[in-house]
Amino acid sequence: MINPEDNKSTSVIQRTTDYEPPRDISHFLIGRPLATADAPHQTIGKAIGLAVFASDALSSTAYATQEILVILAAAGTIAFGYAFPISIAIVILLAIVSLSYEQTIHAYPDGGGAYIVSRDNLGEFPALTAAAALLMDYILTVSVSIASGVAQIVSAYPELFQYRIAIAIACVLFVMLINLRGVKESGAAFAIPTYFFIVLMFLTVSIGIFRYFTGTLGLVIDPPTLEHLGETVSVVTPFLLLHAFSSGTAALTGVEAISNGITAFKEPRSRNAGITLIWMAVILGSLFLGISFLTTHIGAVPSEAETVISQLARTIFNGRGTLYLGVITGTTVILIMAANTAFADFPRLSAMAAKDGFLPRQLTYRGSRLVYSYGIITLAIIASLLIISFQASVTRLIPLYAIGVFLSFTLSQAGMARRWWKIGHLAPGVEIKERGSTIRYEKNWQFKMVVNGFGSLCTAVVMCVFAVTKFEDGAYIVLFLMPLLIGLFSMIHRHYSGVASRLSLEHYGEPPPYTGRHRVIVPVSNVHQGTLAALRYAHMLSDDVTAVHVSMDPDETEKVQRKWQTWGKSTRLVVVASPYRLFLEPLLGYIEEIIATRQSNETITIVVPQFVPSKRIFNALHMQTADMLRKELLSKPGVVITDVPYQIP
Amino acid sequence: MINPEDNKSTSVIQRTTDYEPPRDISHFLIGRPLATADAPHQTIGKAIGLAVFASDALSSTAYATQEILVILAAAGTIAFGYAFPISIAIVILLAIVSLSYEQTIHAYPDGGGAYIVSRDNLGEFPALTAAAALLMDYILTVSVSIASGVAQIVSAYPELFQYRIAIAIACVLFVMLINLRGVKESGAAFAIPTYFFIVLMFLTVSIGIFRYFTGTLGLVIDPPTLEHLGETVSVVTPFLLLHAFSSGTAALTGVEAISNGITAFKEPRSRNAGITLIWMAVILGSLFLGISFLTTHIGAVPSEAETVISQLARTIFNGRGTLYLGVITGTTVILIMAANTAFADFPRLSAMAAKDGFLPRQLTYRGSRLVYSYGIITLAIIASLLIISFQASVTRLIPLYAIGVFLSFTLSQAGMARRWWKIGHLAPGVEIKERGSTIRYEKNWQFKMVVNGFGSLCTAVVMCVFAVTKFEDGAYIVLFLMPLLIGLFSMIHRHYSGVASRLSLEHYGEPPPYTGRHRVIVPVSNVHQGTLAALRYAHMLSDDVTAVHVSMDPDETEKVQRKWQTWGKSTRLVVVASPYRLFLEPLLGYIEEIIATRQSNETITIVVPQFVPSKRIFNALHMQTADMLRKELLSKPGVVITDVPYQIP
C-alpha cells in the first residue's frame, strides 16, 4: 500500500524546519511593548524606550494628587496644605524604589519582573504571591486608568458626566478590540502621545509656577463643590496623614515596567534601560511635585465631576481654550495607553506562571491566537465589571489598587537583597546560573544589598500602612482574594506534578508492542456519500469493520438494508432496533457490549461520518454524534472516536 | 493480525438486536402523558385519560372569566352583566369545536394534532403555520398557566404580591427540573390533583348556586379596587363585547390535547378517546358557565391582586377557611400541571417537525437525554423571559396566547373538512394510506364535512375577531413572529433537501476503492505514557507514521529528542522550530505543507494524544489540541483528526 522504506529502514530521523509566522501573526507581535522582548533584532533606544514603558507610570500623575486631597478633605480644605509635604515624602519613596530597581535591571538583563526575582531568590510561595498581586494589579490598572481617563473627558464636557460608566466600558472594549485585532504598534505610535503629554504637562507646570511667583496665578474660578467621601474629622490626625500618603503612593504604579522589558533595549541594554528608568523617575517626580504644589495654591478641590488636572489647566491657561483641551486630550490618551500596557502584561505574566505550572499550560502558547484572545477578553470583562461596580470612580477603585503593587515591590526588592547576600558568600570565580540571571561574586555587594533591602523595607511599611488605613475602603477585598488565588495556583501545580509523575516513563519498562487486534465500528443512519467516505476510511484502518444501524423506523431500516446490498461492499451491518426512538442509548449499549467482550490488547475505533456544511451555521442542523460518543466513552481505555469529515459539495 | 473470516467470506450480515432502555431511561418515558403514546402495552382507561389530558383545558377556567371582566371593566362595573351571555357564546363555540375534534379522533386513531392533519390534507405551508402556532402556544401555556397559578397563591397570601415574578420563575424552574430529572409520572399522579380540582370546583359552584337561589349568597366583602387597563369607554360597544369574547375564548385552550394522545387509550381507543373528549367538554363548559354566572352575581372585580376564583371561593365559603384554601391549592396545582403538559408537548411536536425536516434533525431522537434537555431548557428560558417582560400578568399575556390556538384549530378542522371531501369522491372499496391515517369511502361524509367545516369557519372568525380586537394589546407580536418562524422552518427544510440531493448515491457511479495511501502524523510535545499510547495507535493505522515536535524551548526539545531514541521505536521525528513560542500555527503550517504535496487518493490522519484527567474540571488545564486542529482543518478533504484518549491512572 505504501512504501515501508520511508521509515522502517532508518533509525530516528530528526529533521528541523523553522517556523516563520506569516504577516498577520507578526502584526500580533512586533511592536507590542513587551512582546518585542522576543524579537532582539528590533531593539529600541532610550528615547523610544521611555515612550514605550513610561505611559503607565507617568499617567498616574493624573490622579495621585487628587487622591491625596480626597482623603485630606475629611478635615476640611484647611488640611489641603499637607498635600505638598506628603508629595515630597512620596517622591523620596519613588527615588528609593527607582534606585533599587536600577540594580535589578543590571542583575536581570533578560528581564526581572517581581515574579521572576521572587521565584529565583525567595522560593515558590513568595513567587506565587507576587504573581497573584501582579495579575490583580493589571486588572486594576485597566479599571483605574480608564476611569481616570473618562474623568478627564467629563471634566472638559460636564454634560457627559451621567454617561461616564458607559463611556468607560466603551473605552475598555476599544482597547480590547485593538488588542484582539493585533494592530501593528510601532515605537512612533507610543512616542508621539507620550512626548505630547510630557511636553504639555511641563509647559503647564512651568507656566503655573512662573505665574505663581509673579503673583498672577489666582484661584480656581467656580471650583466644584467639595464632596466628603467617608466620615469627617475635626483635626488633622496622623492616621489621616498616613491615609492620604497611602492614596498618593498610586503615583508609583508602573515604575517596574522597564525592569520587565529590558530585552527590548539596544545594547548595552542594561545600561540603556537603567538610564531610561532614572529619566522616567525624574520626569514623574518633578511633574508630580509640580502638580501637587500648584494644586494646593490655586485652591483646587477634589471632585468626581471635575478632575484636579482640569482645574489646574483651566486656571493656568485662563479657561477652556486650546491649551486646556490639549492637556485634557494628552492626559486621557496616556491613561488609555497605560490600560493598553496592562493588556500586554497580563498574558505575558500568565504565560510565565503557566510555564512553571501554576496556570493552565495553554497560556504558555503565547502567540496562539485563540488562547491569547481568551486572556484579553477575560481581562476586559473583569475590568469592566470593576468599573460598573465602583461607578467608574477612581477614588473608590484606588484602595484596591496600590496594595498589590507594593506587595510586588516588596517581594522583588527582598529577592534582590537575598541575591546580594548569596553573591557576597560566593567564592571569587564561582558562577551559578539561575533561570533568570547569572550569579558571580561582585564587589560592593554589601552596599547594593542595603539599597535593595532598604527599598524593600520602605515599600513593606507603606504596604502595611496601606492595608490598615485603606482596609475598610476596599483593601480587605484584595487581602481576601490573594490567598484564594495563591491556593488556586498551588492546586493547579499539584495537578500538573501528579499527572507528570503518573505519565512518566521513568519506571515504565518496555514500551507496548505495535500489534494488537483493531476493531472498527461505523454507525450508519443512512447510506449516502458521507457514509461511503467513512466506510472507506474504516477499511483503511482495519479489516475488521462492522457497520451499526440504529433502527427507529422500520421503513427507513428497510431502505438502508436495501442500499447496503449495493454499497456496503460485504461489510457486516448490524441493526439495533430502538422501539422508543432513542438513538444514542442503543448505540452506546451496542458499543459497550463489544467493549465488555473484547480481547485484551484489542483497540476499538468508532468511525463516525460527519458532514461539513458549506456554511458553519448549518452545523447546528447536523447531529454531532462523534462529540456525544466521545463524551460518553472518554473513560473507557482503548476506545477511540474518530469523525471523518465529509465536505458537502 | 485479525481473523479475516469474520466478514470477508460472508456477504451482508444483518443481525438484529432489540434495544430495551434500562430503568433510568424508562423513567423518562413511562407515564409521561404524551410519550406514553409510544408504549401501547401501557394504555389507560377513560377516567385516567381524562385526568392526564384535561389539566390544560380545565385549568383555563381559572382565568377565562376574569379576562372577560377585565375587558368589560372599560365600560364600568355596569358592563359586567354581559359576562354571562358572552360565556354562553363561548360554551357554544366549545361544543362546536369539541364535536369537530371528536371526528378527528376517529379519523386519526394514531393521533391527529393540528400539524399532522394540516400536513396530510392541506399541504406544507398550512402545516408549517400550524407548527409555528403550536410551538408558540406551548411556550405561552407555560407562561400563562404559571402566571395564573401564582396569581391564585398571591390572592390567598397578599403579602407575597411583590414577589410574584420571582415565585413564577421559581415555578417554571421547578417544572423544568422535574422534566429534566424525568420522574416517573403514573396515571395516579395526574388523577389525584385533577379529580381533586374537579370535585372541589363543582362543590364550590353547586353551593354557590344553591346559596344564590336561596338568597344567602351576598356580595364579595372588601373586593379589590377595580383597575382600568387601557382606555375607558362610556357605552358598551359591539367592539367591546367582541373584545371581551376574544379574551374569554382562552377557556378553549387545551381542548385539542386528547386528539394528540389517542394512542395512550385502551382499545377501542378512538371510541374511548372520543367519549373522554365529550366528558371533558361537558365538565369544562359547566364549570366555566357556573363560575361566570356566580362571579357576576357576587360583584367580583377583576384585579391583579386577587383573582376572581379567590373572590368567589371566599364569598361562597364565608372567608379564607379550609375549603377556600382547598380551592386555591387545587387551582394552583392544576395550573402547574397544565404548564407541565406543555413541557411534554413541545419536544414532541418538535420531533415530528424535525422528522419532516423542518427543524434540526437531532430533535427527532426524542429520548436522547442531551437533546431532550435542550428543548426543555429552551422552553423554560423563553417562558421565564415572557413572565418577566409581562410582569407575571395573565391579562397582559392573554393577547399573545389564544391567537395561535385558534389558528391551529382552524387549520386542523379545515384539514378534516378537506379530508371528508376527498373521502366523498373516492370510489367505494378504494383505500388510500396516508402517513397519519387511512382514507376509504364513508357514508354521511357530507354531514361530517359540514361539522368540521362549520367548526373551522367559527374558529377562523374568532381568530379574526381576536387579531383585530387584541392587535394593539400584543397580538401583533404573534402576527409578526409567525412568518419569521415559518421562514426559518422553510430555510431548514431547503438545507436538508439540498444536502440530501448532493449526498445522494443516485448517480454516484462506482463506490471508491478501499485502498489508498494513508499517512499518519502524531504531534508530540513531550514523551510520556500518553505519547506512547498515541504512537502505538498510529502504528496500528498505517506504516507511514511521522511524529512532529513544535520546539519552543531548545532545552525541552533536546530532552524530547533524547527520549525519542529510547521510546520512539524508529518512528521519524520532525522538529519544527517556533522561535515566537507559537504552537498551533507552526503545527498547522507543517500539516498544510504535507496536504499540499500529497498524492491524490492519499488520506492523512492526525493522531493527537489526549489526557483524560480523573476529574472533569481538570480538562481545562490541558490543551484541547485535537479540537483546535479539527476546527482549522475541517474544510480540507481527506484529513481526519483523531484524539487518542489516555486515562491518567
Side-chain angles (χ1 to χ4, degrees):
Chain A
M1 216 196 288
I2 62 145
N3 178 11
E5 283 290 307
D6 275 16
N7 63 338
K8 274 287 167 62
S9 56
T10 51
S11 111
V12 186
I13 297 178
Q14 301 195 333
R15 186 157 71 89
T16 303
T17 55
D18 241 47
Y19 179 75
E20 277 298 329
R23 188 106 197 97
D24 66 321
I25 289 168
S26 67
H27 274 189
F28 227 70
L29 290 166
I30 293 167
R32 184 170 298 282
L34 295 159
T36 39
D38 296 328
H41 50 285
Q42 284 223 348
T43 52
I44 52 181
K46 293 191 282 287
I48 298 288
L50 183 68
V52 168
F53 291 107
S55 63
D56 189 3
L58 294 183
S59 69
S60 51
T61 56
Y63 47 80
T65 303
Q66 173 156 355
E67 294 310 317
I68 296 174
L69 296 181
V70 167
I71 304 300
L72 292 176
T77 46
I78 193 80
F80 287 172
Y82 290 97
F84 189 61
I86 287 173
S87 297
I88 292 175
I90 290 168
V91 170
I92 293 170
L93 184 66
L94 169 67
I96 296 166
V97 171
S98 300
L99 287 176
S100 183
Y101 264 97
E102 211 272 340
Q103 296 193 157
T104 308
I105 287 173
H106 287 273
Y108 282 85
D110 291 331
Y115 174 69
I116 293 176
V117 175
S118 314
R119 184 192 66 189
D120 290 356
N121 298 296
L122 299 175
E124 186 178 305
F125 182 73
L128 290 187
T129 310
L134 285 169
L135 288 178
M136 284 207 283
D137 268 324
Y138 292 141
I139 296 168
L140 283 159
T141 299
V142 176
S143 305
V144 170
S145 302
I146 297 282
S148 178
V150 173
Q152 311 298 337
I153 298 173
V154 165
S155 303
Y157 304 99
E159 63 276 19
L160 296 176
F161 182 74
Q162 53 179 316
Y163 306 115
R164 64 196 186 286
I165 296 174
I167 297 172
I169 302 294
C171 288
V172 173
L173 295 181
F174 171 72
V175 177
M176 182 191 83
L177 284 180
I178 282 183
N179 280 276
L180 282 178
R181 189 64 189 71
V183 287
K184 185 169 169 161
E185 288 160 356
S186 65
F190 277 85
I192 295 168
T194 306
Y195 283 108
F196 179 76
F197 172 78
I198 292 175
V199 168
L200 261 183
M201 287 309 280
F202 268 110
L203 187 73
T204 310
V205 169
S206 308
I207 295 178
I209 288 174
F210 175 81
R211 290 188 60 183
Y212 173 72
F213 282 110
T214 55
T216 60
L217 185 59
L219 296 178
V220 184
I221 298 162
D222 288 335
T225 38
L226 183 63
E227 300 148 7
H228 283 287
L229 292 137
E231 76 283 51
T232 48
V233 288
S234 51
V235 290
V236 176
T237 61
F239 182 85
L240 189 75
L241 293 180
L242 287 174
H243 199 175
F245 172 79
S246 301
S247 282
T249 55
L252 268 69
T253 55
V255 165
E256 76 291 355
I258 292 178
S259 68
N260 289 328
I262 307 163
T263 49
F265 284 87
K266 279 203 172 68
E267 291 290 356
R269 63 187 180 200
S270 285
R271 194 168 166 275
N272 283 330
I275 292 171
T276 310
L277 173 65
I278 301 301
W279 280 6
M280 185 180 83
V282 170
I283 295 171
L284 172 59
S286 43
L287 279 183
F288 177 54
L289 276 185
I291 292 169
S292 293
F293 176 80
L294 289 169
T295 300
T296 45
H297 285 95
I298 61 165
V301 158
S303 156
E304 296 278 338
E306 185 181 7
T307 63
V308 161
I309 294 286
S310 167
Q311 295 172 48
L312 191 65
R314 71 179 166 87
T315 306
I316 290 168
F317 298 126
N318 296 322
R320 295 189 152 106
T322 312
L323 278 170
Y324 167 83
L325 284 179
V327 169
I328 294 294
T329 308
T331 311
T332 306
V333 170
I334 206 161
L335 281 161
I336 289 174
M337 278 166 59
N340 188 54
T341 57
F343 272 92
D345 287 346
F346 187 83
R348 195 172 149 279
L349 177 62
S350 307
M352 249 189 286
K355 197 153 178 264
D356 292 338
F358 295 113
L359 276 178
R361 197 151 297 162
Q362 293 95 304
L363 298 172
T364 60
Y365 307 124
R366 209 189 318 166
S368 180
R369 215 179 306 183
L370 214 68
V371 174
Y372 196 75
S373 308
Y374 184 73
I376 289 173
I377 291 169
T378 308
L379 179 56
I381 289 174
I382 306 179
S384 298
L385 288 179
L386 279 174
I387 287 175
I388 295 169
S389 320
F390 291 86
Q391 302 275 305
S393 158
V394 177
T395 302
R396 297 198 211 172
L397 284 164
I398 281 285
L400 281 74
Y401 190 20
I403 195 163
V405 176
F406 277 86
L407 184 51
S408 70
F409 281 166
T410 304
L411 289 167
S412 162
Q413 295 173 109
M416 283 302 294
R418 178 85 198 281
R419 189 170 174 278
W420 295 121
W421 175 260
K422 280 193 276 180
I423 283 175
H425 291 76
L426 279 178
V430 175
E431 241 185 55
I432 300 177
K433 219 177 131 70
E434 288 185 340
R435 269 179 299 184
S437 69
T438 310
I439 296 183
R440 82 178 68 78
Y441 184 80
E442 280 180 45
K443 276 185 294 184
N444 297 330
W445 64 270
Q446 295 92 336
F447 172 74
K448 289 169 175 167
M449 188 175 76
V450 168
V451 170
N452 283 131
F454 183 66
S456 176
L457 189 70
C458 290
T459 52
V461 169
V462 171
M463 188 183 67
C464 293
V465 168
F466 202 103
V468 171
T469 56
K470 294 274 182 185
F471 188 82
E472 277 179 54
D473 301 341
Y476 72 92
I477 299 174
V478 177
L479 295 174
F480 174 75
L481 278 179
M482 197 80 80
L484 280 187
L485 272 178
I486 295 170
L488 182 69
F489 296 162
S490 303
M491 202 192 70
I492 291 174
H493 195 245
R494 261 204 312 284
H495 171 74
Y496 280 128
S497 322
V499 168
S501 80
R502 272 171 291 165
L503 286 179
S504 161
L505 295 168
E506 207 61 43
H507 307 287
Y508 188 59
E510 265 300 288
Y514 283 164
T515 52
R517 198 177 146 95
H518 190 193
R519 188 161 187 167
V520 179
I521 298 170
V522 187
V524 167
S525 58
N526 212 322
V527 184
H528 49 58
Q529 294 172 31
T531 322
L532 295 194
L535 208 59
R536 177 174 175 270
Y537 184 78
H539 277 281
M540 267 187 171
L541 302 190
S542 167
D543 294 321
D544 184 358
V545 177
T546 311
V548 187
H549 173 70
V550 176
S551 163
M552 283 171 288
D553 180 333
D555 298 347
E556 279 295 316
T557 304
E558 224 187 283
K559 249 197 273 175
V560 168
Q561 286 173 315
R562 215 172 37 243
K563 285 194 197 169
W564 201 253
Q565 307 278 2
T566 317
W567 302 98
K569 277 210 171 181
S570 325
T571 310
R572 178 176 35 195
L573 175 71
V574 174
V575 175
V576 181
S578 170
Y580 296 91
R581 281 198 70 76
L582 298 167
F583 170 72
L584 203 63
E585 289 80 359
L587 186 59
L588 277 171
Y590 176 78
I591 292 168
E592 279 176 7
E593 204 179 281
I594 300 259
I595 292 174
T597 59
R598 71 171 158 185
Q599 297 166 19
S600 70
N601 209 23
E602 180 175 339
T603 303
I604 296 170
T605 298
I606 297 151
V607 171
V608 184
Q610 197 211 353
F611 298 127
V612 183
S614 48
K615 280 182 196 139
R616 204 158 269 212
I617 190 167
F618 288 124
N619 267 328
L621 298 180
H622 297 281
M623 191 94 172
Q624 307 299 314
T625 314
D627 286 348
M628 300 204 291
L629 287 176
R630 205 171 278 130
K631 218 178 221 162
E632 296 290 334
L633 296 171
L634 208 58
S635 61
K636 309 272 179 198
V639 179
V640 174
I641 289 104
T642 297
D643 36 1
V644 178
Y646 187 76
Q647 289 76 15
I648 296 173
Chain B
M1 218 197 286
I2 63 146
N3 178 11
E5 285 288 308
D6 275 16
N7 64 339
K8 275 286 166 62
S9 56
T10 51
S11 110
V12 186
I13 298 177
Q14 301 194 334
R15 186 159 71 90
T16 303
T17 54
D18 242 47
Y19 180 75
E20 277 298 328
R23 188 107 196 95
D24 66 321
I25 289 169
S26 67
H27 274 187
F28 227 69
L29 290 166
I30 293 166
R32 183 170 298 282
L34 295 159
T36 39
D38 296 327
H41 50 284
Q42 284 223 348
T43 52
I44 53 181
K46 294 189 283 287
I48 298 290
L50 183 68
V52 168
F53 292 107
S55 63
D56 189 6
L58 295 183
S59 68
S60 50
T61 56
Y63 47 82
T65 304
Q66 173 156 352
E67 295 310 316
I68 296 173
L69 295 181
V70 166
I71 304 300
L72 293 176
T77 46
I78 194 78
F80 288 171
Y82 290 97
F84 188 62
I86 288 173
S87 298
I88 292 175
I90 290 167
V91 170
I92 294 171
L93 185 65
L94 169 67
I96 296 166
V97 170
S98 301
L99 287 177
S100 184
Y101 263 96
E102 212 271 339
Q103 295 193 159
T104 308
I105 286 173
H106 287 274
Y108 282 84
D110 291 331
Y115 173 70
I116 293 176
V117 175
S118 315
R119 185 191 64 188
D120 290 356
N121 299 296
L122 300 176
E124 187 179 303
F125 182 73
L128 291 187
T129 309
L134 285 168
L135 288 177
M136 284 207 283
D137 267 324
Y138 292 141
I139 296 168
L140 283 159
T141 299
V142 176
S143 304
V144 169
S145 302
I146 297 281
S148 178
V150 172
Q152 312 298 337
I153 298 174
V154 165
S155 302
Y157 304 99
E159 63 275 19
L160 295 177
F161 182 73
Q162 52 180 317
Y163 306 114
R164 66 198 186 285
I165 296 174
I167 297 172
I169 301 295
C171 288
V172 173
L173 295 181
F174 171 72
V175 178
M176 182 190 84
L177 284 179
I178 283 182
N179 279 277
L180 283 178
R181 186 66 186 69
V183 288
K184 186 171 169 160
E185 287 160 356
S186 65
F190 277 85
I192 296 168
T194 305
Y195 283 108
F196 179 78
F197 172 79
I198 292 174
V199 168
L200 261 182
M201 286 308 279
F202 268 111
L203 188 72
T204 310
V205 170
S206 309
I207 295 179
I209 288 173
F210 175 81
R211 290 187 60 184
Y212 172 74
F213 283 109
T214 55
T216 62
L217 185 57
L219 295 178
V220 184
I221 298 163
D222 288 335
T225 39
L226 182 63
E227 299 147 10
H228 283 287
L229 292 136
E231 74 282 53
T232 48
V233 288
S234 51
V235 289
V236 175
T237 60
F239 182 85
L240 189 75
L241 292 179
L242 285 174
H243 198 176
F245 171 79
S246 302
S247 283
T249 55
L252 267 69
T253 56
V255 165
E256 77 290 356
I258 292 178
S259 68
N260 290 327
I262 307 163
T263 49
F265 283 88
K266 279 203 172 67
E267 292 290 354
R269 61 187 183 202
S270 285
R271 195 170 165 273
N272 283 329
I275 293 171
T276 309
L277 173 65
I278 302 301
W279 281 5
M280 185 179 84
V282 170
I283 295 171
L284 172 58
S286 43
L287 279 183
F288 176 56
L289 276 184
I291 291 169
S292 292
F293 177 80
L294 289 168
T295 301
T296 46
H297 285 95
I298 61 165
V301 158
S303 157
E304 295 280 336
E306 187 182 5
T307 63
V308 161
I309 294 287
S310 167
Q311 295 172 49
L312 191 66
R314 70 180 167 88
T315 305
I316 290 168
F317 298 126
N318 296 322
R320 294 189 152 105
T322 313
L323 279 170
Y324 167 83
L325 284 178
V327 170
I328 295 295
T329 309
T331 311
T332 306
V333 170
I334 206 161
L335 282 161
I336 289 173
M337 279 166 58
N340 188 54
T341 58
F343 272 92
D345 287 346
F346 187 84
R348 195 173 149 281
L349 177 62
S350 308
M352 248 189 289
K355 196 153 178 264
D356 293 338
F358 297 113
L359 277 177
R361 196 151 298 164
Q362 293 93 305
L363 298 173
T364 60
Y365 307 125
R366 210 189 316 166
S368 179
R369 214 179 305 183
L370 214 68
V371 174
Y372 196 75
S373 308
Y374 183 74
I376 289 173
I377 292 169
T378 308
L379 179 56
I381 288 174
I382 305 180
S384 299
L385 289 178
L386 279 174
I387 288 175
I388 295 169
S389 318
F390 291 85
Q391 302 273 306
S393 158
V394 176
T395 302
R396 296 198 211 173
L397 284 164
I398 281 285
L400 281 73
Y401 191 21
I403 193 163
V405 176
F406 277 86
L407 182 51
S408 70
F409 281 167
T410 304
L411 289 168
S412 163
Q413 296 174 110
M416 283 302 293
R418 178 84 198 281
R419 188 171 174 278
W420 295 122
W421 175 259
K422 279 194 277 179
I423 284 175
H425 291 75
L426 278 179
V430 176
E431 239 184 56
I432 299 177
K433 219 177 131 69
E434 287 185 341
R435 270 178 298 185
S437 69
T438 310
I439 296 184
R440 83 177 68 79
Y441 183 81
E442 279 181 45
K443 274 186 296 187
N444 297 331
W445 63 270
Q446 294 93 338
F447 172 73
K448 288 170 177 167
M449 187 175 77
V450 168
V451 170
N452 282 130
F454 183 66
S456 176
L457 189 71
C458 291
T459 51
V461 169
V462 171
M463 188 183 67
C464 292
V465 168
F466 202 103
V468 171
T469 56
K470 294 275 182 185
F471 187 81
E472 277 179 53
D473 301 341
Y476 71 92
I477 299 175
V478 176
L479 296 175
F480 174 75
L481 278 179
M482 197 80 81
L484 280 188
L485 272 178
I486 296 171
L488 182 70
F489 296 163
S490 303
M491 201 191 71
I492 292 173
H493 195 244
R494 260 205 312 284
H495 171 75
Y496 280 129
S497 322
V499 168
S501 80
R502 272 171 292 165
L503 285 179
S504 162
L505 295 167
E506 208 61 45
H507 307 288
Y508 187 59
E510 267 299 289
Y514 283 164
T515 52
R517 197 177 146 97
H518 190 193
R519 188 160 186 167
V520 179
I521 297 171
V522 187
V524 166
S525 58
N526 213 323
V527 184
H528 48 58
Q529 294 173 30
T531 322
L532 296 194
L535 207 59
R536 176 173 175 272
Y537 183 78
H539 278 280
M540 267 188 172
L541 302 191
S542 167
D543 294 322
D544 184 358
V545 177
T546 311
V548 188
H549 174 69
V550 176
S551 164
M552 283 170 287
D553 179 333
D555 299 347
E556 278 297 314
T557 304
E558 224 186 283
K559 249 197 271 175
V560 167
Q561 286 173 318
R562 213 169 41 240
K563 284 194 195 169
W564 201 254
Q565 306 279 1
T566 316
W567 301 98
K569 279 212 169 180
S570 324
T571 310
R572 177 175 35 194
L573 175 71
V574 174
V575 175
V576 180
S578 170
Y580 297 91
R581 281 197 71 73
L582 298 167
F583 170 72
L584 203 63
E585 289 80 358
L587 186 59
L588 277 172
Y590 176 79
I591 292 167
E592 280 176 6
E593 205 179 280
I594 301 259
I595 293 174
T597 59
R598 71 171 158 186
Q599 298 166 16
S600 69
N601 210 25
E602 179 175 338
T603 302
I604 295 170
T605 298
I606 297 151
V607 171
V608 184
Q610 197 211 355
F611 299 127
V612 183
S614 48
K615 280 180 195 138
R616 204 156 270 212
I617 189 167
F618 288 124
N619 266 328
L621 298 181
H622 298 282
M623 191 93 173
Q624 307 297 315
T625 314
D627 286 348
M628 299 205 291
L629 287 177
R630 206 171 277 131
K631 217 176 221 164
E632 296 289 335
L633 295 173
L634 208 58
S635 61
K636 309 272 179 199
V639 180
V640 174
I641 288 104
T642 297
D643 37 1
V644 178
Y646 186 76
Q647 289 77 13
I648 296 173

